[in-house]
Amino acid sequence: MKERIHIVWFKRDLRIHDHAPLHIAASRGKVLPLYVVELDYWQLPDASARHWHFIRQSLHELNTALSRLGQPLVKLQGDMLTALETLHERFEIAGLYSHQETGNLWTFARDQRVAQWCAAHGIDWQEYQQHGVFRRQRDRDGWAGKWEKLMAQERFTAPIRLAPLQTRIPQNGLPDNLGKVLEASESRHCQTGGRSEALLLLGSFMRERGHYYSREMSSPLTAAESCSRLSPHLAYGTIALREVTYKLHLVLEHAELEASWKRSLRAFDARLHWHCHFIQKLETEPRFETDNMLAVFDGLRENDFNPAYFAAWQTGTTGFPFIDACMRSLRQTGWINFRMRAMLMAFAAYQLWLHWQQPAWHLAQCFTDYEPGIHYPQIQMQSGTTGINAMRMYNPVKQSHDQDPHGIFIRRWLPELARVPAEYLHEPWLMPYSVQQHSGCVLGVDYPEQIVDHMAAVRQARAKFSELRRHNPVFREQAQALNAKHGSRKKQNKPRKPAKLSPIDHGQMNLF
């Protein structure tokens, strides 16, 4: 007789605390905790080695935690259906349990195949909500209230014990490397995975680091310390969003804090709402990974893609010091603050007039905290293809002066500009040739010339969007439909009209 088991499938939820599938499966019988290293996934253009390194570290801690309960993690390689077939031969599978996943189109199709396999084999697959993202939510009516209610619900406790399985399972280990490597030397400064690291970050942010979050999150000089840095842990589920909101509200309600500190923590609370707000968009419409949110923008940029511009942007060699410093920092560390993310994408979309798909893949590979549900809606928002958000065309020179006035960040990441006088650091193309020679930074030799006239490029981009918006008869109709379905209802008494083209907008919200 086969051993009867309940399979708990770990995906982007690498923890045992506040884990509904594990909690409920354990209450029903023997649990087989499963992680499948899906090799085809790691060939996708939005997957990278730094994601795997973070996951691998997190899986080691998850395995340790499960082993202490009595049943270690079962690790298989291949694809999920093959894994299920293997387990089906050896066990009586009473049920499959997992969290709902809002991933990319590949995981969406994979989950559809798993659902079909379960149905064909008479196995009940129960999926549980992990974030404030609601499956089959047709629009945003009532969404905020449901989010608040979910976050206030009691968290699931970890099981006290898991009965060890008696049936032997041939297992694979965890590969050292998977996914694309940006460069061999990159990833050394990326964040560490694992729940213990997540708890350390949460504690230090609530105790001290979050004090000046509101004031310091916009500059790359201060954001790395003052932001929570929990984003990769939320992306791979080493800590639950509800655990974070619980701790945050505990501090807000009971700790004696200065007004500025309370303001910072409330700002952080707002970003936790935005986390799910954006994931909800991709959950509702998975096509946002590949299609313009508004079809009226189809063909606007696709045929003008300039590979040389893209390569310069990817490698941080555009000739704009602040852009290049941000990109090189991101490639080395796997993280940069939200304003700089938005600026990098907007520069690619407007000044370089690049369609968003390939920049989206590159940034996804760079971000250790890559979360598809946030990533693709944000990429489209910063590219102007939503039609319902203000177009944010960042001036890279103004941002440089505002966020790095003394050039500390630029000099840190662009050593070829180390001896350039401060008066030319933000706009080296103004530097006389004699000064270039004296500072050891000859443009076109030691550091590139600017690849575009950024102000002229923005004017051209704005004119193209203006032409389309004003003269395409279906633009307003599509934008209003998108807003009705995906627009925030916060402080909104009547349906908003699509945003008008506005002057360059330096106001920007920030996530984490």
Side-chain angles (χ1 to χ4, degrees), residues 143-355:
W143 182 87
K146 290 164 68 174
W147 190 96
E148 295 286 354
K149 185 176 180 181
L150 179 73
M151 291 302 135
Q153 287 179 2
E154 188 174 352
R155 287 159 291 137
F156 290 95
T157 56
I160 297 174
R161 181 175 179 276
L162 297 176
L165 300 175
Q166 302 303 314
T167 305
R168 182 178 173 276
I169 310 166
Q171 292 193 50
N172 312 110
L174 298 175
D176 290 335
N177 293 297
L178 279 174
K180 296 174 175 55
V181 179
L182 298 171
E183 286 180 17
S185 62
E186 295 173 315
S187 296
R188 285 181 300 182
H189 305 291
C190 292
Q191 285 184 250
T192 304
R195 180 174 175 81
S196 59
E197 183 69 14
L199 295 177
L200 286 173
L201 287 169
L202 178 61
S204 64
F205 181 74
M206 293 299 170
R207 283 194 309 273
E208 52 198 4
R209 291 190 301 109
H211 195 158
Y212 301 110
Y213 171 72
S214 292
R215 193 174 73 193
E216 297 184 341
M217 64 181 166
S218 293
S219 171
L221 287 169
T222 52
E225 177 66 19
S226 297
C227 289
S228 76
R229 308 302 304 274
L230 285 168
S231 53
H233 295 280
L234 290 171
Y236 296 105
T238 58
I239 193 167
L241 183 67
R242 199 158 47 183
E243 294 181 85
V244 177
T245 58
Y246 172 79
K247 178 72 172 177
L248 173 63
H249 293 165
L250 201 65
V251 172
L252 275 171
E253 291 166 13
H254 300 288
E256 293 185 6
L257 304 175
E258 298 173 12
S260 61
W261 198 342
K262 279 193 174 180
R263 187 163 54 249
S264 282
L265 293 184
R266 286 182 181 130
F268 178 66
D269 190 25
R271 274 65 186 179
L272 296 179
H273 286 72
W274 284 113
H275 168 276
C276 300
H277 168 81
F278 281 100
I279 298 177
Q280 185 69 61
K281 293 175 188 284
L282 195 67
E283 172 64 33
T284 303
E285 294 201 64
R287 70 174 183 88
F288 289 167
E289 179 186 339
T290 54
D291 300 347
N292 288 319
M293 282 192 179
L294 294 192
V296 73
F297 291 122
D298 290 353
L300 180 66
R301 294 188 179 99
E302 287 86 332
N303 296 328
D304 295 334
F305 195 85
N306 186 320
Y309 284 0
F310 179 55
W313 176 82
Q314 275 184 302
T315 53
T317 52
T318 66
F320 291 89
F322 198 50
I323 294 287
D324 294 341
C326 286
M327 182 61 81
R328 294 193 206 178
S329 169
L330 171 61
R331 292 180 64 121
Q332 288 287 332
T333 67
W335 186 89
I336 198 163
N337 58 318
F338 185 79
R339 178 180 285 269
M340 300 304 98
R341 297 184 189 208
M343 181 189 70
L344 285 174
M345 189 60 229
F347 187 81
Y350 297 118
Q351 279 92 342
L352 304 185
W353 200 244
L354 299 174
H355 181 57

Side-chain angles (χ1 to χ4, degrees), residues 36-102:
V36 180
V37 182
E38 298 168 289
L39 300 177
D40 286 350
Y41 172 85
W42 293 100
Q43 301 304 312
L44 298 177
D46 56 352
S48 77
R50 61 186 48 173
H51 304 161
W52 173 247
H53 291 156
F54 190 92
I55 291 170
R56 192 173 185 276
Q57 291 164 344
S58 301
L59 286 171
H60 281 307
E61 282 205 18
L62 175 63
N63 183 54
T64 300
L66 288 166
S67 297
R68 286 173 180 157
L69 297 180
Q71 173 54 52
L73 185 67
V74 173
K75 302 173 284 288
L76 301 178
Q77 286 185 26
D79 62 78
M80 185 59 186
L81 292 189
T82 303
L84 286 172
E85 288 287 358
T86 300
L87 296 174
H88 186 55
E89 290 174 1
R90 289 173 167 77
F91 296 95
E92 178 188 350
I93 302 175
L96 175 65
Y97 302 74
S98 73
H99 276 116
Q100 295 171 352
E101 179 180 4
T102 306

Side-chain angles (χ1 to χ4, degrees), residues 102-176:
T102 306
N104 58 17
L105 288 169
W106 188 93
T107 62
F108 180 66
R110 183 271 320 273
D111 283 357
Q112 288 180 319
R113 293 194 298 274
V114 169
Q116 292 167 359
W117 186 91
C118 287
H121 292 78
I123 294 171
D124 185 27
W125 179 18
Q126 297 191 25
E127 294 183 276
Y128 298 87
Q129 189 173 0
Q130 176 164 219
H131 301 307
V133 178
F134 301 90
R135 193 150 282 186
R136 289 176 284 281
Q137 175 92 13
R138 301 180 63 180
D139 56 35
R140 291 311 177 92
D141 290 348
W143 182 87
K146 290 164 68 174
W147 190 96
E148 295 286 354
K149 185 176 180 181
L150 179 73
M151 291 302 135
Q153 287 179 2
E154 188 174 352
R155 287 159 291 137
F156 290 95
T157 56
I160 297 174
R161 181 175 179 276
L162 297 176
L165 300 175
Q166 302 303 314
T167 305
R168 182 178 173 276
I169 310 166
Q171 292 193 50
N172 312 110
L174 298 175
D176 290 335

